[in-house]
Amino acid sequence: MTRRKHWAWFLLFTGPLLIIFLTVVIVPFIVGSFYSFFQWDGISANPKVFTGFENYIKLLDDPRFMESAWATVKFTIFSVISVNVVGLTFALFVTSKLKISNTARTMFFMPYLIGGLILGYIWQFVFSDVFKLIGEMTGLDSIFFNWLLDQDFALYALVFVFTWQMAGYVMIIYITGLQGIPNDIIEASRIDGASTWQQLRKITFPLLMPAFTISLFLTLSQAFKIYDVNLSLTNGGPANATELFAMNIFNEIFGYGNYGYGQAKAIVFFIIVAVLALTQVYITKKREVEM
């Protein structure tokens, strides 16, 4: 009787979540995988032509997809490094004994509360007008110019805005990790004569590995999936130099009407993100230490 009651409670709380997960994640994924084997424009009245793995083979000879993949990889590498370095720096700053730490914590987190679309339009104005004005006033026009019109600098502009948006969020994760480190360990290291850098390298960073695992996973997955900032800031330009994975898939399906081919891109995109994210979690989890 007790066992049956336990199962009833289990189904009551997990059943609705399982149904929602199956409906919005598993079923669409299976249906999308099925359509990736067809040539179809997404209109139900038009026929679906089975092509097998032709859509996947076609990806290898698609220069626009390859350029998009390379741009996404570069964007993700730069973003993961910059977001975590800035976020950790913010966390170390606001957990110090400065009087403005609470105010600074609020200010650093605020950009995350602004939606990606709005943030992109705000920074589009900054890069196109404010940067140009600063360059004209200071003569530093080799640095302060419209980054969004340059094929190389436009990607760095995306990295800059993504870092601006996400650094405050990962700062919260690092603050939680820093506050979980016992003060007596830090005090003992100071008594033993350890410098600030030695404390960080030998004590803080190893004990902060759980926070590194979570922060790296979030920034890695978010950087690969970014679409809203990409759309509002550069819209893939100039000359498709900043068309990242998500935008490339969206344009393929809804812009060019290649539903089956776009689904094949989405499946490949999912596999790449899943493999990289799980590999990162496996590597950083192995480096975590227990107190």
Side-chain angles (χ1 to χ4, degrees):
M1 184 67 182
T2 307
R3 188 181 178 86
R4 193 175 296 172
K5 197 173 179 180
H6 173 76
W7 269 103
W9 280 111
F10 178 78
L11 289 174
L12 177 66
F13 287 104
T14 59
L17 294 175
L18 284 173
I19 292 171
I20 293 171
F21 183 72
L22 285 170
T23 306
V24 302
V25 178
I26 300 299
V27 172
F29 179 78
I30 294 172
V31 173
S33 303
F34 174 74
Y35 285 137
S36 70
F37 296 103
F38 289 85
Q39 184 182 2
W40 186 40
D41 58 7
I43 300 173
S44 56
N46 294 335
K48 306 177 188 65
V49 180
F50 181 74
T51 58
F53 286 94
E54 188 178 313
N55 285 332
Y56 291 94
I57 297 170
K58 188 179 170 184
L59 285 175
L60 301 174
D61 295 324
D62 186 343
R64 188 165 175 175
F65 178 73
M66 290 300 175
E67 288 169 7
S68 172
W70 178 233
T72 307
V73 169
K74 284 195 294 184
F75 170 78
T76 303
I77 292 171
F78 291 142
S79 297
V80 168
I81 294 171
S82 62
V83 168
N84 285 277
V85 169
V86 176
L88 180 58
T89 305
F90 285 170
L92 291 169
F93 178 74
V94 300
T95 51
S96 62
K97 295 178 181 176
L98 292 173
K99 290 182 180 178
I100 61 167
S101 60
N102 287 332
T103 306
R105 189 180 304 199
T106 306
M107 297 298 292
F108 292 150
F109 187 72
M110 279 184 70
Y112 184 73
L113 301 177
I114 305 173
L117 277 174
I118 298 173
L119 205 61
Y121 287 125
I122 291 171
W123 277 97
Q124 189 183 64
F125 165 73
V126 173
F127 284 120
S128 59
D129 293 340
V130 178
F131 265 42
K132 186 179 175 183
L133 181 64
I134 294 173
E136 290 173 352
M137 292 175 66
T138 61
L140 299 173
D141 51 3
S142 60
I143 300 173
F144 295 102
F145 61 96
N146 190 348
W147 287 16
L148 305 180
L149 297 179
D150 187 284
Q151 291 194 20
D152 295 323
F153 277 79
L155 190 69
Y156 297 134
L158 267 176
V159 174
F160 187 90
V161 176
F162 183 72
T163 304
W164 178 269
Q165 183 186 29
M166 288 294 295
Y169 182 72
V170 299
M171 173 193 73
I172 300 298
I173 299 169
Y174 285 126
I175 288 173
T176 307
L178 288 169
Q179 290 176 339
I181 299 175
N183 283 330
D184 53 351
I185 297 178
I186 302 295
E187 290 297 330
S189 68
R190 285 177 185 156
I191 293 170
D192 289 341
S195 64
T196 304
W197 172 244
Q198 287 174 323
Q199 284 176 19
L200 285 174
R201 196 163 61 91
K202 299 289 186 181
I203 299 173
T204 305
F205 288 165
L207 295 178
L208 206 57
M209 280 310 293
F212 279 122
T213 301
I214 298 169
S215 299
L216 289 171
F217 173 78
L218 286 175
T219 49
L220 183 71
S221 57
Q222 290 293 327
F224 264 111
K225 295 186 298 184
I226 189 171
Y227 178 77
D228 48 2
V229 176
N230 193 186
L231 176 70
S232 57
L233 187 66
T234 65
N235 197 22
N240 300 322
T242 61
E243 188 187 59
L244 303 184
F245 256 145
M247 179 172 282
N248 183 273
I249 293 168
F250 182 90
N251 289 339
E252 194 67 57
I253 294 176
F254 299 103
Y256 309 129
N258 297 323
Y259 196 87
Y261 185 46
Q263 285 294 340
K265 286 185 175 182
I267 297 299
V268 171
F269 174 56
F270 166 77
I271 293 170
I272 292 172
V273 175
V275 168
L276 289 177
L278 291 175
T279 304
Q280 172 264 307
V281 170
Y282 175 76
I283 292 172
T284 51
K285 286 284 281 183
K286 283 185 71 175
R287 292 180 176 273
E288 292 181 7
V289 294
E290 293 184 5
M291 286 182 285

